[in-house]
């Protein structure tokens, strides 16, 4: 026998009883479990802590809760600000950058320094920030915090370094963009208005310089006052007092007229020749009623007044202004061009819009060619060059939230042919009617990096739809959309009980499982249903096969840990071959006589032949049934294996295995029955009378100290979060023996009313906003509070059983309140009974018993109590026999224990290489038959003993739970390594992933830590406190994948991708797009002699002369505080550790040195100027005193 086997024998003999639950296993984290050191095992681990670093890579989707919009007409890039302080900068496809203000304050306004590679942001905390866009990761260069005034409006003239800042008090300040220091020049509100005015004009809502003369500044106050301020003379040229509040103003390019929008839905046009009254007043949507009055209209929030060369009529574009009388009318953007008025209705409220013009100069013909419309949940660009005003096709992934996202899946390094196939199928269903012109936001540069490979992201949604996204090279493009609701009949009103079962979002996707190699796809729905899809390039007429499974056990079992909880006994029923279980569910369509009225699924599958298009076509639908008025429990785990032709799923009642080739159920067992004689717990059957008194039963149970300890070791998410249980009304399960008949004391207490639907509106991952008290103690009260907030229900405890505390979901967005919080009294408490759910499943080649010499197909089962079960399978090998002979299956009795709910299984060979699950090579079942090449199943197996003859037999099994990770050697079932991942929190997501040509265990904890552990030794490699879990959205959507990448839903509309690979962090700069491209600023048009002569002296205006420190002095230090920015430090941190990091540091040091030299040069120049002034005064004084006598002084 080889050396490895000898070492294992030594481990077996030295470990008492050979059980994984021995005290040596439960020692300190990561310590060896027996006398022979694990170093004798010849597995070369190549990963080290230097291979890991955590950083964000790219964010996809629509900016959540947008607030502001800006566009650079020369660079052609767009910026969107949000309420959470984020800024998304978009260019051509691939150029997509996300920046975040550290304060998290809402972005009020954005201003590009046109063609300068910089952006000014004004935030709700009254701070101005200057962002440098000349680096791939923008960073703040300067910040200016206003202390005594609130910022309301900003304006930066083209090619100017002086920013006008309007405030809530009505004052206008001026900021030097280069130094970010306030000028001493201030336009005070009481100077701007007449002294006789008795009321305050209100906050500044508009600032703009006159196209005719840059020395004239138009100031609009909210109260209806408009002032043109002469900057040179420091006085007002004219003042306009209007009765209605002003929301915006816009100049005609000649500077002789401007237009204002008002709160009464009117537009006023003012001519500078006569400012005593408006030149024109229009109510675009206010019709005259029969009594002669105008209809009352909503405010026009913004207007833009743009001229065109091809037409003498200007474009007037505005939002709002619709009449109040038309109820239910959608928000609209109105485009007036001459006498034609076009109203473009929008799906969501308009946040901001902006006309895109050919020229950046405000004194030239504007020539608008498009309008960017920022909605609350969408971004639309309208083509103004065509009379029908079509919209451009948006190249960005802005519709992730088209229906709320309920689950995600991430697949890196997919088969290279899968993306083109999905794209070709999905392209046939794309919308038409878009503008034929190219997307106008085409700035920046982006190239396909060298470190790219096929990546696919799958999102499940509340309406039952599935979207496949191409996520390669840090981009996101939708490939294919699948609607699972087409499998079911639409419920019609008045159809009796079946109609009562369905509420809003009954098709919501809860979980997905995808095999890219065989192209088999499984969807788990919130209505306790599973749909299996096969991929075909041909359309077909098909009859959907439906299986109905009765996975509902009625007896209540109280579970208490056995005395030797950490050392459960192992039975080895090696002499028993696996047999099909005797309990079969009802066959499809059949009903038991006693339960005929209740044995119905939640949804009705279409029972007719349907025509399905190319793509994913439904092959089988599995539905759980109602039993005795109780709904089916939601499915918490799923696994499918195309090589075996089997599908396994479980919930808190038990486990079911389906042969999808033969369309039969081969196993349907309660969790308790899976143990057989090896149950590690003592289960006390409760009488119906005790069952009725639920409160006393709960207090009786929790008085047991062993039960309390067991509950402490159990995560609050063991039954729901890790099982992706997305319904807030999911109930504690009942698993156990046959049904208990009604006794003389009355009917058995049901957990849900007879008419209670099994689900409410889908609990989307996008809408969950709750605070989790991540406690550093494992106290009973803190765990109860966490459990209450996770499930949004009331609980009882043994020490306060007379009072209840209710915790509700905190919904930030009322329009997306997808869940009903009302609960009947019968379901308002969580049973303190330790209910056992199936939390994870994994098919694979393994050893079902210690005595097995060769690996066979097995099903690994993990439960919410930390129990691992191993179920051997006997599958016919021949293809004909496989379609006819039944699959034999039966629990082997092998039981192993971990702390917390089991989350993940993975298998390594004895060289430490990850063993992939066997799969069937994809074949198109709808393809035309070829008599020369009959279609046969082609299976690919990865046997653990196929490539390791020199390393002995067996393989390593990696098991991760919410608290622990363990590595076992199979078939001995001996624990080689154990690591206690966390004591104060619990693991939410765990996966074995490949990084740098090796494998590791990646974990995400509820306290926000992201960790990686080496395999098989479970050495900690990385532990970063990255993201505190502030809402359930992150917990339900966080997922790892190969290549050191992960993602989660950072907001209801955005996907955030991160990497924990140092190699990817080093190469991140070259994979991101460049925001700034060197472009020559277009020259201004020749104005001609007459225009220059009569058009004023706009070009002789020198702002430096007026606003500089020499002329205006310094501003008060208490007014605003200058805060130096990070510069490029963030980029340096991203690239730290490699050659790119050294270059970044050198570049930043060079920039800082240049900045210091520039400041030194400025100070030197000031000193020289001061010296010259002093010399001049001294010379004048000398000349004055030269001829005076001594007595004249």
């Amino acid at each position: 026998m080889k050396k490895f086997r000898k070492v294992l024998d030594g481990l077996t003999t030295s470990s008492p009883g050979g059980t994984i639950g021995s005290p040596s296993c439960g020692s300190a984290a990561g310590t060896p479990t027996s006398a022979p050191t694990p170093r004798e095992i010849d597995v070369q681990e190549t990963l080290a802590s230097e291979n890991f670093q955590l950083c964000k890579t790219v964010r996809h989707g629509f900016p959540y809760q947008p607030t502001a919009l800006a566009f650079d007409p020369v660079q052609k890039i767009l910026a969107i600000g949000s309420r959470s302080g984020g800024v998304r900068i978009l260019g051509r496809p691939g150029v997509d950058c996300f920046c975040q203000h550290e304060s998290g304050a809402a972005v009020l306004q954005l201003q590009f320094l046109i063609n300068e590679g910089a952006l000014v942001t004004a935030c709700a905390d009254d701070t101005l920030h200057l962002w440098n866009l000349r680096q791939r990761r923008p960073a703040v260069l300067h910040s200016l915090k206003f202390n005594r005034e609130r910022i309301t409006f900003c304006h930066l003239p083209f090619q100017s370094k002086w920013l006008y800042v309007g405030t809530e008090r009505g004052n206008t300040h001026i900021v030097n963009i280069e130094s970010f220091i306030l000028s001493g020049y201030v336009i005070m509100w009481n100077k701007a208005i007449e002294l006789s005015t008795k009321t305050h004009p209100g906050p500044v809502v508009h600032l703009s310089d006159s196209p005719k003369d840059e020395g004239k500044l138009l100031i609009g106050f909210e109260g209806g006052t408009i002032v043109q301020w002469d900057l040179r003379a420091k006085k007002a040229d004219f003042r306009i007092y209007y009765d209605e509040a002003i929301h915006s103003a816009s100049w005609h390019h000649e500077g002789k007229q401007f237009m204002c929008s008002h709160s009464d839905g009117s537009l006023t046009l003012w001519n500078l020749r006569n400012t005593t009254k408006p030149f024109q007043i229009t109510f675009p949507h206010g019709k005259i009623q029969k009594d002669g009055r105008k209809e009352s209209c909503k405010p026009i929030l913004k207007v833009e007044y743009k001229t065109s060369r091809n037409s003498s009529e200007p474009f007037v574009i505005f939002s709002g202004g619709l009449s109040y009388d038309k109820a239910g009318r959608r928000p609209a953007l109105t485009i007036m061009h001459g006498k034609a008025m076009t109203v473009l209705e929008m799906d969501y409220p308009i946040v901001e819009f902006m006309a895109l013009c050919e020229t950046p100069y405000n004194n030239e013909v504007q020539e608008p060619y498009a309008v960017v419309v920022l909605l609350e949940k969408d971004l639309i660009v309208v083509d103004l060059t065509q009379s029908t005003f079509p919209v451009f096709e948006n190249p960005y992934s802005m519709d992730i939230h088209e229906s709320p996202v309920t689950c995600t899946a991430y697949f890196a390094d997919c088969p290279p042919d899968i993306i083109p196939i999905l794209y070709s199928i999905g392209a046939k269903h794309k919308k038409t009617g878009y503008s034929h012109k190219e997307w106008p936001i085409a700035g920046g540069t982006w190239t396909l990096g060298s470190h790219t490979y096929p990546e696919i992201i799958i999102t499940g949604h509340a309406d039952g739809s599935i979207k496949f996204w191409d996520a390669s090279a840090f981009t996101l493009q939708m490939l294919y959309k699948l609607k699972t609701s087409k499998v079911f009949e639409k419920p019609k009103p008045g159809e009796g009980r079946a109609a009562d079962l369905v509420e809003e979002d009954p098709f919501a996707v809860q979980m997905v499982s995808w095999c890219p190699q065989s192209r088999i796809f499984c969807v788990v729905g919130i209505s306790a249903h599973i749909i299996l899809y096969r991929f075909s390039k041909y359309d077909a007429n098909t009859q959907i096969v439906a299986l109905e499974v009765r996975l509902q056990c009625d007896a209540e079992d109280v579970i208490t840990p056995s005395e030797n909880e950490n050392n459960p006994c192992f039975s080895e029923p090696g002499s028993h071959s696996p047999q099909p279980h005797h309990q079969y569910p009802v066959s499809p369509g059949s009903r038991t006589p006693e339960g005929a009225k209740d044995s119905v699924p939640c949804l009705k599958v279409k029972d007719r032949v349907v025509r399905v298009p190319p793509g994913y076509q439904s092959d089988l639908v599995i539905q759980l049934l109602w039993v005795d008025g109780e709904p089916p429990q939601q499915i918490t785990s799923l696994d499918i294996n195309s090589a075996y032709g089997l599908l396994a799923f479980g919930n808190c009642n038990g486990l079911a295995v389906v042969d999808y080739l033969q369309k039969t159920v081969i196993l349907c067992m309660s969790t308790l029955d899976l143990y057989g004689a090896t149950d590690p717990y003592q289960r006390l059957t409760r009488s119906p009378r005790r069952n009725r008194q639920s409160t006393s039963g709960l207090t009786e149970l929790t008085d047991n100290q062993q039960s309390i300890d067991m509950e402490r070791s159990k995560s609050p998410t063991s039954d729901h979060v890790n099982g992706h249980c997305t319904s807030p009304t999911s109930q504690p399960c009942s698993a156990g023996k046959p049904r208990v008949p009604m006794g003389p004391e009355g009917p058995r207490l049901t957990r849900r009313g007879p008419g209670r639907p099994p689900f409410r509106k889908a609990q989307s991952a996008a809408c969950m906003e709750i605070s989790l008290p991540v406690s550093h103690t494992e106290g009973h009260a803190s765990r109860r509070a966490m459990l209450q907030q996770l499930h949004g229900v009331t609980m009882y405890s043994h020490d306060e059983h007379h009072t209840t505390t209710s915790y509700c979901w905190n919904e930030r967005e009322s329009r997306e309140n997808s869940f009903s919080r009302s609960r009947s009294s019968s379901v308002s408490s969580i049973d303190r009974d330790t209910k056992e759910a199936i939390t994870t499943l994994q098919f694979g080649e393994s050893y079902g018993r210690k005595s097995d010499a060769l690996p066979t197909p097995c099903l690994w089962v993990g439960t919410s109590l930390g129990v691992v079960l191993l179920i051997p399978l006997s599958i016919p090998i021949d293809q004909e026999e496989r379609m006819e002979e039944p699959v034999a299956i039966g629990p082997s009795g092998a039981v192993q224990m971990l702390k917390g709910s089991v989350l993940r299984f993975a298998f390594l060979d004895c060289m430490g290489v990850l063993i992939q699950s066997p799969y069937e090579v994809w074949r198109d079942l709808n393809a035309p038959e070829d008599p020369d090449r009959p279609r046969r199943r082609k299976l690919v197996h990865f046997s653990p003993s196929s490539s390791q003859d020199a390393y002995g037999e067996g393989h390593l099994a990696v098991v991760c739970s919410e608290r622990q990770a363990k590595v076992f050697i199979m078939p001995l079932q001996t624990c080689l390594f154990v690591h206690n991942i966390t004591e104060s929190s619990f693991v939410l997501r765990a996966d074995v992933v490949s990084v740098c040509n090796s494998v590791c265990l990646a974990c995400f904890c509820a306290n926000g830590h992201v960790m990686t552990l080496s395999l098989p030794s479970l050495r900690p490699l990385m532990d970063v406190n990255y993201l505190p879990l502030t809402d359930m959205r992150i917990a339900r959507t966080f997922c790892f994948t190969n290549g050191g990448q992960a993602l989660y839903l950072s907001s209801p509309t955005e996907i955030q991708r991160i990497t924990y690979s140092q190699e990817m962090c080093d190469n991140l700069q070259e994979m991101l797009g460049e925001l700034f491209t060197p472009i020559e600023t277009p020259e201004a048009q020749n104005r001609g002699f007459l225009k220059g002569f009569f058009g004023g002296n706009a070009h002789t205006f020198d702002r430096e002369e007026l606003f500089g420190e020499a002329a205006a002095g310094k501003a008060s230090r208490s007014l605003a505080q200058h805060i130096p920015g990070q510069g490029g430090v963030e980029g340096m941190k991203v690239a730290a550790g490699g050659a790119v990091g050294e270059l970044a540091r050198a570049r930043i040091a060079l920039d800082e040195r240049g900045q210091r030299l520039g400041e030194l040069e400025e100070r030197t120049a000031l000193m020289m100027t001061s010296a010259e002034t002093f010399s001049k005064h001294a010379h004048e004084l000398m000349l004055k005193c030269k001829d005076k006598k001594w007595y004249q002084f």
Side-chain angles (χ1 to χ4, degrees), residues 71-355:
F71 181 72
D72 188 325
V74 180
Q75 288 288 322
K76 295 191 183 302
I77 55 176
L78 185 80
I80 301 173
S82 68
R83 193 177 300 174
S84 60
V87 178
R88 281 282 291 282
I89 305 172
L90 304 169
R92 67 177 67 249
V95 178
D96 188 340
C97 179
F98 173 76
C99 313
Q100 176 68 43
H101 292 92
E102 291 184 1
S103 64
V107 178
L108 299 179
Q109 199 173 350
L110 300 166
Q111 286 278 323
F112 274 107
L113 275 66
I114 296 175
N115 204 28
E116 295 291 335
L119 175 71
V120 175
T121 58
C123 296
D125 60 351
D126 306 307
T127 306
L128 298 173
H129 303 274
L130 178 65
W131 293 82
N132 178 18
L133 306 184
R134 295 192 178 219
Q135 54 193 53
R136 300 194 184 213
R137 285 270 174 126
V140 175
L141 294 175
H142 299 282
S143 297
L144 188 65
K145 168 74 174 174
F146 280 75
N147 297 323
R148 295 186 298 185
E149 297 197 53
R150 307 296 307 271
I151 299 173
T152 56
F153 196 87
C154 297
H155 171 64
L156 180 65
F158 179 47
Q159 293 180 328
S160 168
K161 68 175 185 178
W162 297 95
L163 174 73
Y164 302 112
V165 181
T167 67
E168 193 174 38
R169 292 186 181 180
N171 303 326
T172 302
H173 300 275
I174 301 168
V175 178
N176 187 316
I177 290 297
E178 293 178 351
S179 61
F180 241 57
I181 296 175
L182 269 180
S183 167
Y185 192 114
V186 184
I187 306 173
M188 303 299 291
W189 68 270
N190 53 355
K191 299 287 184 63
I193 64 173
E194 291 179 341
L195 295 177
S196 59
T197 306
K198 296 181 181 179
T199 58
H200 190 279
V204 175
V205 296
H206 176 79
L207 292 168
S208 62
D209 52 329
S210 169
K212 188 177 179 181
D213 186 353
E214 292 177 346
K216 304 293 179 69
L217 183 68
L218 191 70
I219 306 173
F221 297 92
E222 188 181 59
T225 302
I226 304 168
V227 176
Q228 179 167 290
W229 184 262
D230 189 331
L231 294 168
R232 300 182 194 87
K234 299 183 181 180
K235 65 175 185 178
D237 284 346
F238 61 82
R239 299 179 177 91
I240 297 172
Y241 299 96
Y242 195 67
D243 296 336
E244 295 294 334
I246 295 174
H247 286 283
S248 71
S250 182
W251 281 99
H252 188 279
H253 81 274
E254 293 180 351
K256 299 176 182 178
Q257 293 178 335
F258 62 89
M259 184 175 288
C260 296
S261 66
H262 301 278
S263 57
D264 62 346
S266 66
L267 295 173
T268 57
L269 185 63
W270 300 85
N271 196 314
L272 298 191
R273 293 180 180 176
N274 183 11
T275 57
T276 56
K277 62 179 182 178
F279 176 74
Q280 183 181 352
I281 302 176
T282 57
F283 287 83
H285 296 291
K287 297 179 181 179
I288 299 177
Q289 298 175 339
K290 294 180 179 179
D291 56 359
R293 294 183 179 180
K294 288 267 188 184
E295 284 183 320
S296 59
C297 296
K298 300 176 182 178
I300 296 179
L301 301 179
K302 183 178 180 180
V303 64
E304 292 213 356
Y305 189 31
K306 303 296 181 183
T307 52
S308 175
R309 294 190 191 93
N310 300 328
S311 173
S312 59
E313 299 291 343
F315 280 94
V316 177
I317 308 167
F318 62 90
S319 60
L322 299 177
S323 63
Y324 281 106
D325 297 339
K326 296 179 181 178
R329 191 168 183 179
R330 295 190 294 179
L333 181 79
T334 305
I335 303 174
M336 296 171 61
H337 190 208
K339 295 182 179 180
M341 184 169 69
T342 305
V343 179
L344 304 178
E345 290 191 339
M346 304 294 171
D347 294 331
Y348 307 104
I350 297 173
V351 176
E352 174 74 286
F353 75 89
M354 182 172 292

Side-chain angles (χ1 to χ4, degrees), residues 21 276 307 435 799 902 970:
T276 56
T307 52
S435 172
D799 56 349
V902 181
M970 303 298 291

Side-chain angles (χ1 to χ4, degrees), residues 335-462:
I335 303 174
M336 296 171 61
H337 190 208
K339 295 182 179 180
M341 184 169 69
T342 305
V343 179
L344 304 178
E345 290 191 339
M346 304 294 171
D347 294 331
Y348 307 104
I350 297 173
V351 176
E352 174 74 286
F353 75 89
M354 182 172 292
L356 308 186
C357 302
E358 296 285 355
T359 176
Y361 297 95
N362 65 346
N363 57 359
E364 296 179 358
V365 178
Q366 297 297 286
E367 200 64 43
Y369 57 90
V371 178
V372 179
V373 188
L374 179 63
L375 309 177
E376 275 192 2
K377 296 182 182 179
D378 203 358
L379 179 70
I380 292 174
V381 182
V382 181
D383 187 355
L384 291 181
T385 61
Q386 301 182 41
S387 59
T388 56
F389 302 128
V391 298
F392 290 89
E393 185 176 6
N394 196 330
Y396 314 125
S397 52
M398 294 287 188
D399 57 345
I400 293 175
H401 61 286
E402 185 178 17
S403 174
V405 177
T406 53
C407 73
T408 58
Y410 192 8
F411 300 88
D413 210 4
C414 300
D417 60 336
I418 192 70
I419 290 179
I421 290 176
L422 287 173
Y423 181 79
S424 62
I425 297 295
K428 300 175 182 178
H429 305 285
K430 282 195 172 182
K431 297 178 181 178
T432 58
Y434 293 111
S435 172
H436 299 295
K437 294 196 172 183
E438 291 187 1
W439 180 251
I441 305 165
T445 55
W446 179 77
T447 56
L448 197 63
S450 57
H451 299 77
T452 59
Y453 41 83
E455 300 175 73
I456 287 181
I457 294 173
I458 300 176
T459 56
H461 300 266

Side-chain angles (χ1 to χ4, degrees), residues 1081-1100:
T1081 303
E1083 294 183 2
Q1085 293 179 357
N1086 189 358
R1087 304 182 70 201
F1089 174 75
L1090 292 177
K1091 280 192 176 181
F1093 186 77
F1094 294 105
N1097 53 350
H1099 292 279
T1100 62

